[in-house]
Amino acid sequence: HGMAAISNGMAVFGGVIPFASTFLNFISYAAGASRLSALSQLRVLYIMTHDSIGLGEDGPTHQPIETMAMLRATPNYLNFRPADGNEVSAAYMAALQHTDRPSVLSLTRQNLPQLDGSSIEGALKGAYDLKTYGAGAKPDLIIAGTGSETSIAVDAAQLLASQHKLTVKVVSMPCLELFSAQPDAYRHAVLTPGVPSISVEALSTFGWHKYVHCPIGIDTFGASGPYLQLYEMFGLTPEAIAKKALKVIEYYKNIPVPTLALQF
C-alpha cells in the first residue's frame, strides 16, 4: 500500500513516471492506493510478476485467482497479460502513451516462447488474430488466450487441426480494456460472429462470458506443486482444452451461436 501511495505522490508531483513492482497477488494489499491511481487519473505503472499458478510451489497464498477480475472491474485501468516479447513491448508502449490512467503489466515467472504471428500493432488494440490453424475458409472455433496461456491455446489449436481436421483461429487478448474500446467492426472481425469461442486463462473466469461462449480457467484457489503438474491438475493443457473445445463445437452444431461483445 505504501509503495503504491508513494508512486501516486510522485505522479502528482511530476518529472518522473513512477512504477511499482511485486507479485501480482499482492496488488490486492495495495488496492486502496492503486484504485486511487485510477480515480485520480495518474500514470503509474504497476509491473506485477508471478501472475498465475505458474509460480508453482509457493502455493495458493501467492497465486492470484480473482486478482485480475478485480483489476479489470476497476474503472480507468489498463490491464495487460502479454504473451511474448512483442506484447510486452506493446504493453509498455500503451502504458506510457496513456497519461491519464494507471496500467498493470502482469508477467509470468516461467519462460514463454516467441509466438508466430504476434504483433506489437495488434496488441496495442487489445486483441488480434494471432494465427489460424487448419484449411477451412471459416473457423470452426476461436480460442482466445492471454499471457502464458496463449502458447497453450496455440498448441490446442494445432492438436484440433491435426487430429480432428478442424479450422481453429487463435486470438491473443493481452488487454481487454483496449479491445473493448475498438469499433464494432474490428471487434467482430477478431471474435467472428457465428463461430463458437473459448478462452484460456489461468485465473478466474469471471467477466469472460462477455467475450466468449465458454471460458476455461480456475474458479477455486490454487495449489502448491511444480507448475506443469498444476496446469495439468486444473485442466490447462492442450489435450484438456481440446477435449472441452470439441464439446463446445458439438453443442453449437444445432443451435444458433450468440454474438457477443455487443455495445449499444
Side-chain angles (χ1 to χ4, degrees), residues 86-122:
N86 283 336
E87 294 191 2
V88 171
S89 297
Y92 275 106
M93 186 180 297
L96 294 174
Q97 289 174 344
H98 288 80
T99 61
D100 60 349
R101 61 202 302 186
S103 297
V104 176
L105 280 67
S106 299
L107 308 173
T108 69
R109 177 190 182 187
Q110 67 270 36
N111 294 329
L112 297 177
Q114 188 70 22
L115 296 174
D116 187 13
S118 74
S119 161
I120 293 175
E121 295 76 17

Coordinates of all heavy atoms in Angstrom, one line a residue, residues 86-122:
N86 N 6.9 -9.3 -28.0 CA 6.3 -8.3 -28.7 C 5.1 -7.7 -27.9 O 4.9 -6.4 -27.9 CB 5.7 -8.9 -30.0 CG 6.7 -9.1 -31.1 OD1 7.8 -8.4 -31.1 ND2 6.5 -10.0 -32.0
E87 N 4.4 -8.5 -27.2 CA 3.3 -8.0 -26.5 C 3.7 -7.2 -25.2 O 3.0 -6.3 -24.8 CB 2.3 -9.1 -26.1 CG 1.6 -9.7 -27.4 CD 0.5 -10.6 -27.1 OE1 0.2 -10.8 -25.9 OE2 -0.1 -11.2 -28.0
V88 N 4.9 -7.6 -24.7 CA 5.4 -6.9 -23.5 C 5.8 -5.5 -24.0 O 5.5 -4.4 -23.4 CB 6.6 -7.6 -22.9 CG1 7.3 -6.6 -21.9 CG2 6.2 -8.8 -22.2
S89 N 6.4 -5.4 -25.2 CA 6.7 -4.1 -25.8 C 5.5 -3.2 -26.0 O 5.5 -2.0 -25.7 CB 7.5 -4.3 -27.1 OG 8.7 -4.9 -27.0
A90 N 4.4 -3.8 -26.5 CA 3.2 -3.1 -26.7 C 2.6 -2.6 -25.4 O 2.0 -1.5 -25.3 CB 2.2 -4.0 -27.4
A91 N 2.7 -3.5 -24.3 CA 2.1 -3.1 -23.0 C 2.9 -1.9 -22.5 O 2.2 -0.9 -22.0 CB 2.3 -4.3 -22.1
Y92 N 4.2 -1.9 -22.6 CA 4.9 -0.7 -22.1 C 4.6 0.5 -22.9 O 4.4 1.7 -22.4 CB 6.4 -0.9 -22.1 CG 6.9 -1.6 -20.9 CD1 7.3 -3.0 -20.9 CD2 7.1 -1.0 -19.7 CE1 7.8 -3.6 -19.8 CE2 7.6 -1.6 -18.5 CZ 7.9 -2.9 -18.6 OH 8.4 -3.6 -17.5
M93 N 4.5 0.4 -24.2 CA 4.2 1.5 -25.1 C 2.8 2.1 -24.8 O 2.7 3.3 -24.6 CB 4.2 1.0 -26.6 CG 4.0 2.2 -27.6 SD 4.0 1.6 -29.3 CE 5.7 0.9 -29.4
A94 N 1.8 1.2 -24.6 CA 0.5 1.7 -24.3 C 0.4 2.4 -22.9 O -0.2 3.4 -22.7 CB -0.5 0.6 -24.3
A95 N 1.1 1.8 -21.9 CA 1.2 2.3 -20.6 C 1.8 3.7 -20.6 O 1.3 4.6 -19.8 CB 2.0 1.4 -19.6
L96 N 2.8 4.0 -21.4 CA 3.4 5.3 -21.5 C 2.6 6.3 -22.2 O 2.6 7.5 -21.9 CB 4.8 5.2 -22.1 CG 5.8 4.3 -21.3 CD1 7.1 4.2 -22.1 CD2 6.1 5.0 -20.0
Q97 N 1.8 5.8 -23.2 CA 1.0 6.7 -24.1 C -0.2 7.2 -23.3 O -0.7 8.3 -23.6 CB 0.6 6.0 -25.4 CG 1.8 5.8 -26.3 CD 1.4 4.9 -27.5 OE1 0.3 4.2 -27.5 NE2 2.2 4.9 -28.6
H98 N -0.8 6.4 -22.5 CA -2.0 6.7 -21.7 C -1.6 7.5 -20.5 O -1.3 6.9 -19.4 CB -2.8 5.5 -21.4 CG -3.5 4.9 -22.6 ND1 -2.8 4.1 -23.5 CD2 -4.8 5.1 -23.1 CE1 -3.7 3.8 -24.5 NE2 -4.8 4.3 -24.3
T99 N -1.6 8.8 -20.6 CA -1.1 9.6 -19.5 C -2.1 9.8 -18.3 O -1.7 10.4 -17.3 CB -0.6 11.0 -20.0 OG1 -1.8 11.6 -20.6 CG2 0.5 10.8 -21.1
D100 N -3.3 9.4 -18.6 CA -4.4 9.7 -17.6 C -4.9 8.5 -16.9 O -6.1 8.5 -16.4 CB -5.5 10.5 -18.3 CG -6.2 9.7 -19.4 OD1 -5.6 8.7 -19.8 OD2 -7.2 10.1 -19.9
R101 N -4.2 7.4 -16.9 CA -4.6 6.2 -16.3 C -3.5 5.3 -15.9 O -2.4 5.3 -16.6 CB -5.6 5.4 -17.2 CG -5.1 5.0 -18.5 CD -6.1 4.8 -19.6 NE -7.1 3.8 -19.2 CZ -8.1 3.3 -20.0 NH1 -8.1 3.8 -21.2 NH2 -9.0 2.4 -19.6
P102 N -3.6 4.5 -14.9 CA -2.6 3.5 -14.5 C -2.6 2.3 -15.3 O -3.7 2.0 -15.9 CB -2.8 3.2 -13.0 CG -4.3 3.4 -12.9 CD -4.7 4.5 -13.9
S103 N -1.6 1.6 -15.4 CA -1.5 0.3 -16.1 C -0.9 -0.8 -15.2 O 0.0 -0.5 -14.5 CB -0.7 0.4 -17.4 OG -1.2 1.4 -18.3
V104 N -1.4 -2.0 -15.4 CA -0.9 -3.2 -14.7 C -0.3 -4.1 -15.8 O -1.0 -4.5 -16.7 CB -1.9 -3.9 -13.9 CG1 -1.3 -5.2 -13.3 CG2 -2.5 -3.0 -12.8
L105 N 1.0 -4.4 -15.7 CA 1.6 -5.3 -16.6 C 1.8 -6.6 -15.8 O 2.6 -6.7 -14.8 CB 3.0 -4.8 -17.1 CG 2.9 -3.8 -18.2 CD1 2.3 -2.5 -17.8 CD2 4.3 -3.6 -18.8
S106 N 1.0 -7.7 -16.1 CA 1.1 -8.9 -15.4 C 2.0 -9.9 -16.2 O 1.6 -10.3 -17.3 CB -0.3 -9.5 -15.2 OG -1.2 -8.6 -14.5
L107 N 3.1 -10.2 -15.6 CA 4.1 -11.0 -16.2 C 4.3 -12.3 -15.5 O 4.0 -12.5 -14.4 CB 5.4 -10.2 -16.3 CG 5.3 -8.8 -16.8 CD1 6.6 -8.0 -16.6 CD2 4.9 -8.8 -18.3
T108 N 4.8 -13.3 -16.3 CA 4.9 -14.7 -15.8 C 6.2 -14.9 -15.0 O 7.2 -14.1 -15.2 CB 4.8 -15.7 -16.9 OG1 6.0 -15.6 -17.7 CG2 3.6 -15.5 -17.8
R109 N 6.2 -16.0 -14.3 CA 7.5 -16.5 -13.8 C 8.2 -17.4 -14.8 O 9.4 -17.3 -15.0 CB 7.3 -17.3 -12.5 CG 8.6 -17.9 -11.9 CD 8.3 -18.8 -10.8 NE 9.5 -19.4 -10.2 CZ 9.5 -20.3 -9.3 NH1 8.4 -20.9 -8.9 NH2 10.7 -20.7 -8.8
Q110 N 7.4 -18.2 -15.5 CA 8.0 -19.2 -16.3 C 8.4 -18.6 -17.7 O 7.9 -17.6 -18.1 CB 7.1 -20.4 -16.5 CG 5.8 -20.1 -17.3 CD 4.6 -19.6 -16.4 OE1 4.8 -19.0 -15.4 NE2 3.4 -20.0 -16.8
N111 N 9.3 -19.2 -18.4 CA 9.7 -18.8 -19.7 C 8.6 -19.1 -20.7 O 7.8 -20.0 -20.6 CB 11.0 -19.5 -20.2 CG 12.2 -19.2 -19.4 OD1 12.3 -18.1 -18.9 ND2 13.1 -20.1 -19.2
L112 N 8.5 -18.2 -21.7 CA 7.5 -18.3 -22.8 C 8.1 -18.2 -24.1 O 9.1 -17.5 -24.3 CB 6.4 -17.2 -22.6 CG 5.6 -17.2 -21.3 CD1 4.6 -16.0 -21.3 CD2 4.8 -18.5 -21.1
P113 N 7.5 -18.9 -25.1 CA 8.0 -18.8 -26.5 C 7.6 -17.5 -27.2 O 6.6 -16.9 -26.8 CB 7.4 -20.0 -27.2 CG 6.1 -20.2 -26.5 CD 6.4 -19.8 -25.0
Q114 N 8.4 -17.1 -28.2 CA 8.0 -16.0 -29.0 C 7.0 -16.6 -30.0 O 7.3 -17.6 -30.7 CB 9.2 -15.5 -29.8 CG 8.9 -14.2 -30.6 CD 8.6 -13.0 -29.7 OE1 9.0 -13.0 -28.6 NE2 7.9 -12.0 -30.3
L115 N 5.8 -16.0 -30.1 CA 4.7 -16.7 -30.9 C 4.7 -16.2 -32.3 O 4.9 -15.1 -32.7 CB 3.4 -16.3 -30.2 CG 3.2 -16.8 -28.8 CD1 1.9 -16.2 -28.2 CD2 3.2 -18.3 -28.7
D116 N 4.5 -17.2 -33.2 CA 4.3 -16.9 -34.6 C 3.1 -16.1 -34.8 O 2.0 -16.5 -34.4 CB 4.2 -18.3 -35.4 CG 4.2 -18.1 -36.9 OD1 4.5 -17.0 -37.3 OD2 3.9 -19.1 -37.6
G117 N 3.2 -14.9 -35.4 CA 2.1 -14.1 -35.7 C 1.9 -13.0 -34.6 O 1.0 -12.1 -34.8
S118 N 2.7 -13.0 -33.6 CA 2.5 -11.9 -32.6 C 2.9 -10.6 -33.1 O 3.7 -10.5 -34.0 CB 3.3 -12.2 -31.3 OG 4.7 -12.0 -31.5
S119 N 2.2 -9.5 -32.6 CA 2.3 -8.2 -33.2 C 2.2 -7.1 -32.2 O 1.3 -7.1 -31.4 CB 1.2 -8.1 -34.3 OG 1.0 -6.7 -34.6
I120 N 3.1 -6.2 -32.2 CA 3.0 -5.0 -31.3 C 1.8 -4.2 -31.7 O 1.0 -3.8 -30.9 CB 4.3 -4.1 -31.4 CG1 5.5 -4.9 -30.8 CG2 4.1 -2.8 -30.7 CD1 6.8 -4.1 -31.0
E121 N 1.6 -4.0 -33.0 CA 0.5 -3.2 -33.5 C -0.9 -3.9 -33.1 O -1.8 -3.2 -32.7 CB 0.5 -3.1 -35.0 CG 1.7 -2.3 -35.5 CD 3.0 -3.0 -35.5 OE1 3.0 -4.3 -35.4 OE2 4.1 -2.3 -35.6
G122 N -0.9 -5.2 -33.2 CA -2.2 -5.9 -32.8 C -2.4 -5.8 -31.4 O -3.5 -5.6 -30.9

